[in-house]
């Protein structure tokens, strides 16, 4: 085996060749350099057409924004042989306790939502089936994009009051469409039809058995249709018979599930706030945490968590949920699923004896989707025992915590800036309550994270948030005296932006985000990190070029690695 430096250079060549190379020099090895930036001009010379996209991909994989070099990241005993074997097998991955058991592999689902005015690319690849549309494919494609969309709208409206079987799009079901794309790669990735729901269109893929397959399909769909608002589902088997006979196993599973969802949702929310704060510092006009002012994407709160906990109890205890009960979980406005984080989705897979988690906070961030695939896969394979201590975290009590905001005039301002959603009267949709997030009870977090010094830091950050809200209120009230409507609207937008900035700042000042990150890194077992990196490497190569060629490239370079 050649030394690590040669190995790093050869593996980097594999990445470059498999991602972008098309010319006669595609298999020519590149010289080794510690500094990743060395490879940028090399790529520009060899791959001028795709240099930027290719270079961005390589920079992302190697973490070039971090103080790591390519050699650092490839030093973790990731050999070309392991990569080749993993890719050649296109491996099924199993959760802990189900290793190698047929039909018990981890599965991956994906959907991408497109707004009404983003559907031009969809309607070039699908057309209504007879009897809704009886003309030819050529006639459909000959229409202008606007005419195709109007035709689809007219057909939807015309069949809206018909029986479900006679509707073009029955409620939350795939439409009666024909896939008409001539692109073989896209045809293989796209489902037979798509869903129409509440004015937008959704591509919903059937479950994939490997992460490589789902990432490849996501890449193909995004390349051809554009990046929609993406959601990922990861499911794993549930052994109902074993749980029924084993009380200790039931208690263990409840604790693991609650602990995992509790930790990941708080970790992701705090990380989102920190990222928003960084954006706010660069541009104070940016609304840093729009998700807190969104009815379906806000933080987990106690009211929803109570439903989640009751649901987990029922699932683990083997409760027989009816189809209607499961369906309600997906559309009730106060459903536990409506959070901007990791959502428990038994309605998706429980009837198939599987548990499913839905990633709801990546939206159009492809890197986020890839990271979540890796994270969910890793902790299913490793097991979630280490999260049990987080199962008893105090939840965000929006009613109790909002009452802590003083003076009451600040509460009034928040109610005006972030009113309840629509005409709904449920407490969960009183969006202003989300902005009391800093005042939740963090004592159990401090204890479980093993960071007693955090208590003072959190209290100081809460005080700073209170003072910031007061200052914003005085400025806002002064501007709202104006009789000019435009001035008042501008004052409202400015105040919303500043409140979001102050909320985002709390995540940094409190030390909570850093503490959660440290705990997360601790939970990644160092002995298993190399397997984590192998997953990452495999996903990366296959996602960029989802064909057998990437496997051939790795095999080609392995012969030089072992020579």
């Amino acid at each position: 085996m050649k030394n690590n430096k040669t190995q790093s250079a050869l593996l980097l060549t594999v990445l470059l060749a498999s991602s972008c190379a098309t010319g006669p020099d595609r298999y020519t090895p590149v010289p080794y350099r510690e500094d990743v930036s060395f490879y940028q001009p090399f790529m520009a010379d060899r791959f001028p057409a795709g240099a930027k996209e290719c270079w961005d991909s390589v920079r992302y994989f190697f973490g070039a924004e971090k103080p790591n070099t390519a050699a650092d990241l490839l030093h973790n005993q990731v050999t070309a042989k392991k990569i080749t074997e993993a890719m050649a097998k296109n491996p099924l991955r199993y959760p802990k306790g189900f290793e190698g058991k047929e039909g018990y592999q981890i599965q991956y689902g994906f959907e991408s939502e497109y707004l009404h005015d983003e559907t031009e690319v969809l309607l070039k690849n699908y057309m209504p089936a007879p009897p809704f549309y009886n003309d030819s494919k050529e006639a459909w494609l000959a229409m202008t994009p606007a005419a195709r969309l109007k035709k689809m709208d007219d057909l939807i409206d015309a069949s809206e009051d018909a029986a479900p079987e006679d509707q073009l799009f029955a409620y939350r079901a795939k439409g009666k469409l024909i896939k008409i794309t001539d692109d073989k790669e896209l045809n293989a990735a796209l489902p037979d039809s798509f869903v129409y729901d509440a004015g937008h269109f959704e591509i919903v893929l059937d479950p994939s058995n490997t992460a490589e397959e789902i990432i490849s399909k996501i890449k193909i769909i995004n390349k051809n249709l554009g990046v929609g608002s993406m959601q990922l589902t990861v499911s794993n088997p549930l052994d109902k018979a074993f749980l029924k006979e084993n009380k200790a196993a039931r208690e263990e599973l409840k604790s693991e599930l609650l602990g995992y969802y509790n930790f990941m949702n708080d970790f992701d929310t705090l990380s989102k706030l920190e990222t928003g704060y960084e954006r706010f510092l660069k541009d104070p006009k940016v609304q840093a945490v729009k998700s807190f002012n969104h009815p379906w994407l806000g933080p987990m709160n106690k009211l929803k968590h109570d439903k989640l906990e009751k649901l987990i109890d029922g699932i683990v205890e083997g409760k027989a949920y009816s189809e209607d009960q499961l369906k309600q979980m997906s559309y009730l406005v106060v459903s536990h699923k409506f959070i901007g984080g990791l959502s428990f989705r038994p309605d998706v897979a429980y009837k198939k004896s599987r548990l499913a988690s839905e990633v709801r906070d990546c939206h159009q961030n492809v890197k986020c989707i890839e990271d979540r695939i890796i994270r969910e896969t890793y902790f299913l394979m490793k097991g979630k025992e280490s999260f049990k201590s987080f199962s008893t975290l105090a939840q965000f009590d929006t009613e109790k915590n909002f009452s802590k905001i003083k003076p009451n005039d600040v509460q009034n301002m928040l109610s005006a800036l972030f009113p309840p959603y629509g005409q709904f009267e449920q407490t969960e949709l009183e969006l202003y309550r989300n902005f009391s997030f800093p005042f939740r009870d963090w004592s159990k977090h401090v204890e479980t994270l093993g960071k007693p010094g955090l208590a003072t830091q959190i209290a100081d950050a809460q005080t700073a948030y209170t003072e910031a809200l007061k200052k914003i209120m005085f400025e806002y009230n002064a501007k709202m005296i104006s009789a000019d409507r435009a001035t008042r609207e501008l004052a409202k937008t400015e105040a919303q932006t500043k409140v979001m900035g102050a909320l985002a700042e709390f995540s940094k000042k409190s030390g909570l985000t850093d503490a959660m990150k440290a705990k997360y890194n601790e939970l990644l077992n160092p002995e298993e990190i190399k397997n984590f990196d192998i997953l990452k490497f495999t996903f990366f190569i296959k996602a960029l070029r989802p064909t057998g060629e990437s496997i051939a490239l790795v095999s080609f370079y392995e012969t030089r690695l072992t020579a």
Side-chain angles (χ1 to χ4, degrees):
M1 180 65 68
K2 296 188 181 295
N3 61 39
N4 286 327
K5 288 190 174 183
T6 304
Q7 179 178 321
S8 299
L10 288 171
L11 290 177
L12 179 58
T13 308
V14 172
L15 283 172
L16 297 178
S18 95
S19 61
C20 299
T22 55
D25 295 332
R26 65 193 308 171
Y27 299 118
T28 304
V30 295
Y32 173 81
R33 291 292 188 278
E34 284 279 348
D35 182 4
V36 182
S37 64
F38 165 81
Y39 297 99
Q40 189 167 17
F42 161 81
M43 289 182 58
D45 289 341
R46 188 173 298 181
F47 316 119
K52 185 180 185 307
E53 178 183 353
C54 189
W55 175 243
D56 287 346
S57 298
V58 174
R59 282 183 62 82
Y60 159 59
F61 176 76
F62 284 123
E65 70 279 2
K66 303 172 184 177
N68 302 94
T69 64
D72 293 331
L73 293 171
L74 288 172
H75 196 68
N76 291 332
Q77 322 224 343
V78 182
T79 66
K81 184 171 171 104
K82 289 179 182 176
I83 296 167
T84 306
E85 289 174 351
M87 291 174 61
K89 292 176 183 177
N90 201 17
L92 300 178
R93 297 182 176 90
Y94 298 87
K96 185 177 180 180
F98 295 90
E99 291 85 355
K101 194 172 180 181
E102 186 176 356
Y104 283 74
Q105 70 274 6
I106 301 168
Q107 291 187 325
Y108 307 85
F110 174 79
E111 66 180 62
S112 189
E113 299 178 359
Y114 296 87
L115 299 178
H116 185 264
D117 58 0
E118 297 174 334
T119 55
E120 176 186 344
V121 286
L122 275 177
L123 300 185
K124 288 196 301 185
N125 295 288
Y126 294 93
M127 60 183 266
F132 300 97
Y133 182 76
N134 294 306
D135 214 331
S136 66
K137 167 185 169 180
E138 290 73 23
W140 177 259
L141 293 176
M143 295 185 198
T144 65
R148 277 197 298 268
L149 181 56
K150 185 178 185 307
K151 182 67 174 178
M152 182 66 82
D153 287 341
D154 291 344
L155 292 172
I156 292 172
D157 291 342
S159 65
E160 186 176 15
D161 296 326
E165 62 272 18
D166 296 323
Q167 292 178 330
L168 179 58
F169 287 97
Y171 183 63
R172 296 181 181 274
K174 290 183 178 180
K176 297 175 179 65
L177 306 173
I178 301 172
K179 189 164 51 170
I180 58 174
T181 179
D182 292 325
D183 186 310
K184 291 182 180 179
E185 183 182 62
L186 181 59
N187 185 65
L190 285 176
D192 291 336
S193 183
F194 57 81
V195 176
Y196 175 76
D197 181 31
H200 61 261
F201 298 89
E202 300 177 8
I203 291 290
V204 182
L205 300 186
D206 290 334
S208 294
N209 287 320
T210 70
E212 288 84 357
E213 178 186 356
I214 199 69
I215 291 181
S216 294
K217 287 183 176 181
I218 291 170
K219 295 276 187 182
I220 293 166
I221 289 170
N222 287 345
K223 180 181 72 174
N224 288 276
L225 304 186
V227 181
S229 181
M230 300 177 291
Q231 294 177 357
L232 170 78
T233 305
V234 181
S235 75
N236 60 282
L238 181 70
D239 192 335
K240 294 180 180 179
F242 173 74
L243 290 172
K244 183 178 180 180
E245 302 300 326
N246 195 321
K247 182 178 179 181
R250 295 198 299 272
E251 294 302 318
E252 183 92 354
L253 181 57
K254 288 179 192 177
S255 184
E256 289 179 8
L257 288 174
L258 270 178
Y260 188 73
Y261 285 111
N262 288 351
F263 180 89
M264 288 305 177
N265 276 316
D266 282 347
F267 176 45
D268 291 342
T269 297
L270 288 163
S271 298
K272 188 189 311 180
L273 289 173
E274 183 181 58
T275 301
Y277 181 55
E278 291 168 357
R279 291 199 308 268
F280 181 71
L281 287 178
K282 292 178 182 178
D283 183 359
K285 294 183 179 180
V286 167
Q287 293 202 335
V289 283
K290 288 183 178 180
S291 61
F292 273 62
N293 191 32
H294 195 289
W296 323 126
L297 299 174
M300 174 61 80
N301 60 47
K302 187 177 184 302
L303 290 170
K304 293 182 180 180
H305 192 274
D306 288 346
K307 298 183 183 75
L308 170 65
E309 189 165 357
K310 183 177 180 181
L311 186 55
I312 287 177
D313 280 343
I315 294 294
V316 174
E317 293 294 335
K319 179 177 177 179
Y321 289 93
S322 69
E323 287 291 340
D324 286 342
Q325 286 175 312
L326 291 172
K327 287 179 180 178
Q328 284 182 347
M329 297 175 195
S330 70
Y331 64 79
L332 286 179
V333 295
V334 294
S335 172
H336 74 283
K337 89 157 196 176
F338 285 123
I339 59 170
L342 187 67
S343 180
F344 183 52
R345 295 297 305 275
D347 55 303
V348 172
Y350 182 53
K351 287 294 184 182
K352 300 176 183 177
S353 294
R354 299 182 75 87
L355 297 177
S357 295
E358 181 182 45
V359 175
R360 294 177 50 81
D361 60 341
C362 287
H363 312 304
Q364 294 183 305
N365 187 336
V366 179
K367 180 181 181 298
C368 174
I369 288 286
E370 293 172 351
D371 287 346
R372 293 293 197 275
I373 289 175
I374 294 168
R375 185 175 82 180
E376 292 304 302
T377 302
Y378 177 77
F379 282 112
L380 282 171
M381 294 175 72
K382 175 186 175 180
K384 298 175 179 176
E385 298 92 336
S386 52
F387 291 92
K388 288 193 294 184
S389 60
F390 294 95
S391 63
T392 57
L393 293 182
Q395 292 303 307
F396 175 26
D397 189 332
T398 58
E399 294 179 288
K400 181 179 179 180
N401 297 148
F402 191 74
S403 67
K404 294 180 181 179
I405 298 176
K406 301 297 180 185
N408 289 343
D409 285 347
V410 174
Q411 296 183 23
N412 295 336
M413 175 192 70
L414 292 174
S415 300
L417 294 177
F418 308 104
Y421 177 69
Q423 303 301 312
F424 295 103
E425 298 180 355
Q426 292 91 335
T427 303
E428 292 93 331
L429 295 170
E430 292 175 341
L431 302 180
Y432 56 86
R433 295 186 183 278
N434 289 340
F435 293 86
S436 63
F437 183 78
F439 298 107
R440 60 186 288 190
D441 179 1
W442 298 102
S443 59
K444 194 67 177 179
H445 288 73
V446 172
E447 176 188 332
T448 309
L449 291 169
K451 302 279 187 181
L454 268 182
T456 300
Q457 196 172 344
I458 291 170
D460 290 343
Q462 289 171 331
T463 299
Y465 182 57
T466 298
E467 293 305 311
L469 290 180
K470 287 188 208 176
K471 182 179 178 183
I472 296 166
M473 178 194 69
F474 290 133
E475 294 173 351
Y476 173 69
N477 288 344
K479 292 179 180 178
M480 292 301 286
I481 296 173
S482 171
D484 181 72
R485 180 176 179 180
T487 301
R488 294 197 304 273
E489 287 298 317
L490 180 60
K492 180 177 179 180
T493 300
E494 288 176 348
Q496 286 176 329
T497 302
K498 290 178 180 178
V499 169
M500 289 184 186
L503 171 61
E505 184 180 26
F506 169 80
S507 68
K508 192 70 175 175
K509 282 190 171 182
S510 66
L512 281 162
T513 308
D514 289 340
M516 294 289 277
K517 282 181 182 176
K519 176 56 71 171
Y520 176 72
N521 290 332
E522 179 186 320
L523 293 171
L524 293 173
N525 187 334
E527 292 301 313
E528 296 172 343
I529 282 290
K530 57 186 177 181
N531 295 324
F532 189 60
D533 287 341
I534 288 170
L535 287 179
K536 228 174 178 181
F537 218 151
T538 306
F539 292 170
F540 180 80
I541 296 176
K542 292 203 73 174
L544 281 175
R545 188 180 288 265
T547 68
E549 185 178 44
S550 55
I551 297 176
L553 285 166
V554 177
S555 299
F556 177 90
Y557 279 100
E558 190 191 356
T559 61
R560 280 141 183 77
L561 213 78
T562 56

